[in-house]
Amino acid sequence: MDTIVFAYRPPASDTEIPDGPLSGMRVLLQPDLFVKNWPADAGSKALAGFSAVFDATVIARLRAAGAVPAGFAPMAEFGFGINGSHLGRILAADEFLHAGLMTDMLGEARMAASLAGLWGFKPSWGRVSRYGLTGLVPSMECTGVLAKKLSDIPKILTRISGADANDPSMRTDPPLDVSGLLDATAPAGASLRIGIPEALATGNAAREAEMSIAREALSKAGFTLKNVTIGDLSLFAAAHQVAAAVEASSSAGKYDGVRYGFRAETSGNWNDMYLETRGQSFGPLIKALLMQGAWFQFQDYPGFEAACTLRQHLVNQTNALFNHVDLIALPTREADADPLTANMPADTYDAFSLTLAANLTGLPVLQVPGTSADGPNAADTAGANQAPGFQLMGPAMGDIAVLRAGLALSSHLQGVIS
Amino acid sequence: MNSVSTTYEAVIGLEIHVQLNTATKLFCDCPNQPGDAPNRNTCPICLWLPGVFPRLSRVAVEKAVLACLSVNCTIAEESAFDQKVYYYPDLPKGYQLSQHHKPLAVNGWIDIPEENAKNGALRRLRIHHIHLEEDVARLVHETEGGKPVSLVDFNRAGAPLIEVVTEPDMRNPYEAMEFLKILRTHLRYTGSTECSMEKGTMRADANISIRKPGSGEMNTKVEVKNMNSIRHVGDAIGYEIQRQAESLNRGEPIVLHTRLWDPDKQVTTAMREKFAGPCVPDPSVPAIQMDQQWLEAIQQNLPEMPPHKASRFVETFGLTAADAQLISQERDTAEFFEAAVSQNLPPAKVSNWIISHLLPGLRDHQLSLSDTPLTPARFSGLLSLLATEKINAAAAREILLQMLTKDAEPEILMKTAGLEQVSDDDALGDLVDKIIADHPSDAADFKNGNPKVVGFLMGLAMKASKGKANPKRMKEILTEKLNALQQTSE
């Protein structure tokens, strides 16, 4: 096993355990979420030396509930993809940690959970405040929760969700009410209809094996399985990539090295300083993404508009599926695309092709850990041999329904912790 | 100039930025006071730091809507912010939040008097749309130890602006200047903005092209910036029309570009083009949904606009059209007039005193009504003193000027300065006796049938009274006494 290396650990004085409903829960974070006075570089050289002047809303709410920010795990630059991210692995390996928060733009939180054999949940877009999140793709990103025990996820969500005046982009709903969910006598929701997109569940040995485990567990839990057609996933990827690139280009515009972060030495004028600074600030994946975004902004605006139209179409089409089923079960990752080494937009999108639909549509989705004879956390730390598990996606703002189904399902899965 | 106007016709459109006078900036709670000590009015939102979101000010939206309504625009049910992408040190976020695809308001208009019109004919100039946007930071270029440095002041960053974009309806400098004057009057009426080109709270850019008269063509336009008075706008447009005409006459085509007005040399010069970026919908600022209820609540704050006010003043108070227009130019003047008239004074008298004495007095002292302690009650009190002959007109003018700076009732000022009119016959008689005694030869002239002497002696008598004498009574007594003198000698 690798040595566990945090990107930042707070001094001992910061880890006193306050009272509250989450008292003593230790939560691992990434440096794209502001924790007052902690470094806030979001994994990018562009923000080297920048530190947070306030607690992100989710951090303030976690602290108020008694949870303890345990430290930062190394992260992919601006949280796009998981090349360089260690949060899932550290969380799985460190017995003192209970949960982790990880920004999910393409499926990062679910993918990290899948690779580490953990539960992962991406709430509906607009459920959780982004105030204090450095962010990159505003319309897709959402703070995801990873946990060893599924029941910790609703406990955390009920604390961090709900309207925040500092983030007017989010919905104005109150915090998620999970009171009926964790009650031992809560109904299992046996009448649920689960849609399985046939085309995604077949045609590939690894996927077929994983989805057959999913079917078995879903059936045992008493759910009704139905075939659905989710459409061409490459369209989801295309719409996601164009919109995400454009948004990323705008979001990263402020990283110019003038006021904070890294600034390159140059003898030229301010234009040269910008070019040098930005050229040296970003890694190859982000640089390629920003170039793509700038291309659509400056050279092919109609292409961007077409992607927005396509996105709306895909949102409508996906929402319509929930007229026939309550939830949709999806595989999580492809065996032949490795998200840990993807370092260009094309291979990153390949690696997240099964998860990004929930980001494009803003839907809530649960990553159910893969089961193996040895239990979920027994795979090697790189996750290569860890069974991928599968996703349960719900309708817009149907976060509770997704979690309830997950809890009902968990007792029928080997080696997972409810 | 004559040859130009017969050979070519100008097509002019204006883009006018107006700063709203809200207490806070457009997207945060920082004071909207760009002139304060540099970077004093800043926070993570208007410094455009990571991790924060714009929080749109409801008050700014309402002030902007009021401004749009004052120039007859239709308010959009849904308007939204876009990111206007460009990279420049005054915008370290890399984009400006503005409304491009879905502006706040569309299809407005204002009427201007036709040039040289004797019959009050009006010409309607259309407004294409008005949108909301945030101002950018201010760059200050200085030298530190012989090395040039550029400093960024974020006090202005995020200040609320509206941009008024007209249709290309104007044909000459007069129309553009008249549009700006009337636009300014209307916008000021709403109380949403100061609208001062001199102070930079109103900035106008002009798009100018020329064509054969009546051809209807839309030719390549040139944008002219950097005019900081309405007069400069007229001068710059006039110059630019001439320049383009000469260019065409030499066979040189007009090229799309931007020029800066140089007020000292009275010319426009080409400026280096800023890289014009695209406008992408902003994913984080919620769209403005203007429902009927909200719109009606805002509409209730819309005051009566100057054209209505002026015609009502003609109908209700019998003012002349010219006086009514002058009185209704500024909202505070018009409201002051109505309040003063309501104290039972003849409207023509009130308007005459406002136009001939109050407004020039304010101009001379570079004051606006709200800067002064003068109230309509004090003003009408002064006019009552005049009407009841407690003071004469010269004293009234003097007291009025004092009231622009002194916080006191007119009676007090009258007594303090000893400006009370002397109407007492005995006192005036003594004065007249003395003047006649001191000027026997003039009195003799009168006797010999020269009536002009009365005017001369009257002047001396008023002077001797230090201007306080009731001139009417004084003249009567003087005439009486001179006539009596004539009779005794006969």
Side-chain angles (χ1 to χ4, degrees):
Chain A
M1 185 182 276
D2 291 341
T3 317
I4 295 168
V5 183
F6 282 61
Y8 177 80
R9 291 194 98 147
S13 58
D14 266 19
T15 55
E16 276 169 37
I17 296 172
D19 288 335
L22 300 182
S23 183
M25 183 181 279
R26 291 166 54 79
V27 183
L28 184 61
L29 307 163
Q30 296 190 137
D32 61 346
L33 260 185
F34 287 2
V35 181
K36 192 171 177 180
N37 298 328
W38 289 21
D41 64 16
S44 179
K45 187 176 176 183
L47 280 166
F50 187 62
S51 64
V53 292
F54 58 89
D55 275 344
T57 297
V58 292
I59 300 301
R61 289 178 177 180
L62 278 180
R63 284 195 206 268
V68 178
F72 284 148
M75 70 181 289
E77 187 169 18
F78 293 119
F80 188 78
I82 57 167
N83 184 345
S85 160
H86 294 220
L87 187 137
R89 274 181 279 166
I90 296 177
L91 174 57
D94 187 332
E95 59 181 314
F96 296 107
L97 296 172
H98 301 89
L101 298 185
M102 189 169 169
T103 309
D104 194 302
M105 318 179 187
L106 282 161
E108 290 85 351
R110 284 161 284 157
M111 193 61 74
S114 167
L115 288 164
L118 300 165
W119 294 94
F121 185 72
K122 182 196 87 71
S124 298
W125 192 88
R127 270 277 189 233
V128 179
S129 168
R130 292 183 292 133
Y131 182 66
L133 170 70
T134 295
L136 189 69
V137 187
S139 79
M140 311 271 186
E141 66 204 9
C142 184
T143 294
V145 185
L146 287 80
K148 293 172 179 170
K149 278 163 62 181
L150 175 57
S151 57
D152 280 344
I153 292 180
K155 283 181 192 165
I156 291 171
L157 272 177
T158 189
R159 297 295 147 192
I160 66 173
S161 61
D164 174 15
N166 284 318
D167 178 3
S169 73
M170 69 181 299
R171 296 176 51 112
T172 52
D173 305 61
L176 269 182
D177 179 6
V178 298
S179 51
L181 209 53
L182 301 173
D183 190 333
T185 61
S191 62
L192 287 184
R193 300 159 299 166
I194 311 288
I196 299 189
E198 253 337 273
L200 298 182
T202 56
N204 166 317
R207 269 200 224 156
E208 265 175 51
E210 202 55 39
M211 288 310 287
S212 79
I213 296 172
R215 276 177 216 275
E216 194 185 326
L218 291 162
S219 300
K220 274 190 194 160
F223 300 155
T224 310
L225 306 189
K226 294 181 75 171
N227 288 336
V228 292
T229 306
I230 201 169
D232 184 350
L233 281 189
S234 68
L235 291 181
F236 284 83
H240 190 296
Q241 187 170 354
V242 176
V246 167
E247 289 183 25
S249 177
S250 285
S251 300
K254 61 174 88 74
Y255 306 128
D256 57 10
V258 172
R259 296 172 296 162
Y260 49 81
F262 167 76
R263 189 198 290 206
E265 287 297 322
T266 166
S267 54
N269 62 19
W270 67 31
N271 273 320
D272 299 315
M273 190 271 289
Y274 280 166
L275 291 172
E276 275 299 311
T277 297
R278 290 173 66 81
Q280 294 176 33
S281 284
F282 304 121
L285 173 60
I286 292 300
K287 215 180 270 183
L289 187 69
L290 300 187
M291 287 301 290
Q292 291 181 350
W295 168 265
F296 284 102
Q297 284 179 329
F298 289 91
Q299 298 293 328
D300 186 12
Y301 190 76
F304 169 69
E305 288 183 304
C308 293
T309 307
L310 175 59
R311 180 181 189 179
Q312 192 54 54
H313 168 75
L314 294 170
V315 167
N316 296 343
Q317 183 189 298
T318 308
N319 285 343
L321 293 177
F322 294 102
N323 295 330
H324 309 290
V325 295
D326 298 297
L327 303 171
I328 294 169
L330 288 165
T332 304
R333 63 182 151 101
E334 303 278 13
D336 58 352
D338 184 1
L340 291 168
T341 56
N343 63 0
M344 275 291 131
D347 52 0
T348 303
Y349 273 90
D350 283 347
F352 289 90
S353 63
L354 293 160
T355 54
L356 56 80
N359 300 86
L360 189 79
T361 53
L363 299 180
V365 56
L366 176 71
Q367 163 62 24
V368 180
T371 58
S372 65
D374 303 325
N377 299 334
D380 70 36
T381 49
N385 298 324
Q386 168 66 44
F390 64 97
Q391 308 173 76
L392 268 183
M393 185 164 77
M397 305 310 277
D399 305 55
I400 292 288
V402 174
L403 290 169
R404 176 174 286 131
L407 285 162
L409 185 66
S410 59
S411 58
H412 302 285
L413 289 165
Q414 253 188 329
V416 302
I417 310 167
S418 306
Chain B
M1 205 60 204
N2 267 342
S3 64
V4 170
S5 57
T6 51
T7 321
Y8 296 105
E9 170 182 79
V11 178
I12 303 157
L14 298 174
E15 292 173 7
I16 304 121
H17 284 92
V18 175
Q19 189 183 307
L20 299 176
N21 61 2
T22 50
T24 66
K25 294 186 182 184
L26 185 53
F27 293 115
C28 63
D29 296 333
C30 289
N32 177 25
Q33 287 163 20
D36 285 359
N39 292 313
R40 198 175 126 186
N41 302 325
T42 57
C43 73
I45 296 175
C46 61
L47 288 169
W48 301 314
L49 294 178
V52 293
F53 292 90
R55 294 196 319 255
L56 180 61
S57 153
R58 194 180 167 88
V59 176
V61 172
E62 290 178 352
K63 288 209 167 201
V65 166
L66 208 53
C68 295
L69 290 172
S70 78
V71 289
N72 310 298
C73 283
T74 305
I75 309 300
E77 279 176 35
E78 181 181 289
S79 63
F81 283 89
D82 297 291
Q83 305 173 343
K84 191 172 173 186
V85 179
Y86 73 90
Y87 294 90
Y88 203 69
D90 62 6
L91 184 62
K93 179 170 51 167
Y95 60 84
Q96 177 189 20
L97 285 173
S98 179
Q99 298 182 309
H100 179 74
H101 299 292
K102 292 179 174 177
L104 185 67
V106 294
N107 297 337
W109 48 264
I110 51 181
D111 289 329
I112 63 162
E114 274 186 9
E115 194 171 15
N116 304 321
K118 298 269 189 299
N119 55 358
L122 297 173
R123 182 157 140 64
R124 179 154 295 182
L125 299 173
R126 296 168 302 157
I127 292 166
H128 180 268
H129 75 263
I130 300 181
H131 66 254
L132 258 172
E133 64 182 29
E134 60 178 341
D135 209 341
V136 298
R138 195 171 70 90
L139 293 181
V140 183
H141 304 285
E142 286 183 358
T143 322
E144 269 178 20
K147 209 178 146 192
V149 292
S150 296
L151 305 172
V152 190
D153 177 5
F154 282 83
N155 280 350
R156 204 179 68 180
L161 301 176
I162 52 171
E163 183 173 348
V164 180
V165 180
T166 75
E167 296 285 357
D169 282 355
M170 287 147 267
R171 296 287 170 266
N172 53 48
Y174 162 82
E175 292 184 348
M177 290 194 293
E178 205 60 26
F179 180 91
L180 288 173
K181 284 181 200 162
I182 293 178
L183 176 74
R184 184 177 62 184
T185 297
H186 282 233
L187 296 185
R188 280 180 180 168
Y189 250 72
T190 64
S192 295
T193 165
E194 173 193 45
C195 259
S196 160
M197 289 195 71
E198 289 73 15
K199 290 186 192 163
T201 49
M202 175 165 159
R203 312 194 277 268
D205 303 333
N207 288 301
I208 303 150
S209 65
I210 59 174
R211 66 186 179 194
K212 292 267 181 293
S215 72
E217 293 170 333
M218 295 303 270
N219 291 325
T220 306
K221 67 188 183 185
V222 170
E223 186 181 19
V224 183
K225 291 173 176 285
N226 198 41
M227 292 82 79
N228 45 27
S229 72
I230 290 178
R231 197 200 161 91
H232 284 180
V233 173
D235 291 347
I237 291 173
Y239 174 85
E240 187 56 25
I241 294 170
Q242 187 78 28
R243 192 193 67 80
Q244 290 188 21
E246 285 168 8
S247 209
L248 287 183
N249 290 342
R250 282 196 305 269
E252 294 164 8
I254 305 296
V255 187
L256 181 73
H257 70 301
T258 302
R259 300 179 73 82
L260 289 181
W261 172 245
D262 181 335
D264 298 327
K265 295 183 185 148
Q266 295 273 304
V267 295
T268 63
T269 50
M271 70 178 274
R272 211 183 59 160
E273 205 58 19
K274 252 190 204 174
F275 189 56
C279 282
V280 189
D282 182 86
S284 294
V285 183
I288 301 170
Q289 308 288 351
M290 182 61 56
D291 60 35
Q292 204 52 36
Q293 205 186 346
W294 190 13
L295 184 58
E296 278 167 16
I298 299 171
Q299 253 158 348
Q300 296 205 327
N301 294 324
L302 188 68
E304 183 185 26
M305 282 292 122
H308 284 103
K309 250 194 174 67
S311 44
R312 186 166 58 81
F313 288 172
V314 172
E315 282 161 28
T316 315
F317 300 121
L319 300 192
T320 66
D323 283 359
Q325 207 245 331
L326 279 171
I327 290 284
S328 56
Q329 192 81 21
E330 298 289 343
R331 184 174 167 185
D332 57 359
T333 314
E335 287 172 355
F336 189 90
F337 165 75
E338 284 202 81
V341 166
S342 72
Q343 317 268 329
N344 275 329
L345 287 166
K349 182 125 196 137
V350 174
S351 95
N352 181 40
W353 269 80
I354 290 177
I355 293 169
S356 307
H357 305 299
L358 176 56
L359 294 180
L362 289 169
R363 258 198 305 279
D364 290 348
H365 290 77
Q366 292 183 320
L367 291 170
S368 70
L369 261 179
S370 58
D371 300 331
T372 73
L374 182 62
T375 60
R378 284 177 180 174
F379 184 72
S380 52
L382 177 74
L383 293 188
S384 300
L385 292 177
L386 181 66
T388 55
E389 302 191 343
K390 293 223 173 70
I391 51 174
N392 61 33
R397 277 196 294 277
E398 166 143 14
I399 293 170
L400 178 60
L401 289 182
Q402 290 192 13
M403 285 198 296
L404 296 184
T405 49
K406 287 186 185 158
D407 188 3
E409 297 300 324
E411 291 86 347
I412 307 287
L413 292 172
M414 171 185 81
K415 284 181 183 145
T416 315
L419 289 169
E420 241 170 323
Q421 179 163 270
V422 181
S423 302
D424 172 47
D425 283 0
D426 291 344
L428 292 178
D430 290 350
L431 245 164
V432 168
D433 287 343
K434 189 170 184 307
I435 294 291
I436 291 175
D438 288 353
H439 297 83
S441 63
D442 295 294
D445 273 4
F446 182 82
K447 229 164 28 180
N448 298 333
N450 181 1
K452 283 184 185 165
V453 170
V454 179
F456 171 70
L457 292 176
M458 181 67 190
L460 291 174
M462 283 307 287
K463 197 172 173 190
S465 82
K466 301 200 179 76
K468 292 188 289 188
N470 177 340
K472 195 167 144 237
R473 191 70 199 117
M474 172 87 97
K475 191 166 180 186
E476 285 165 5
I477 292 171
L478 178 64
T479 316
E480 262 170 39
K481 288 200 186 260
L482 284 171
N483 283 333
L485 211 62
Q486 205 170 16
Q487 277 153 20
T488 44
S489 65
E490 273 167 0

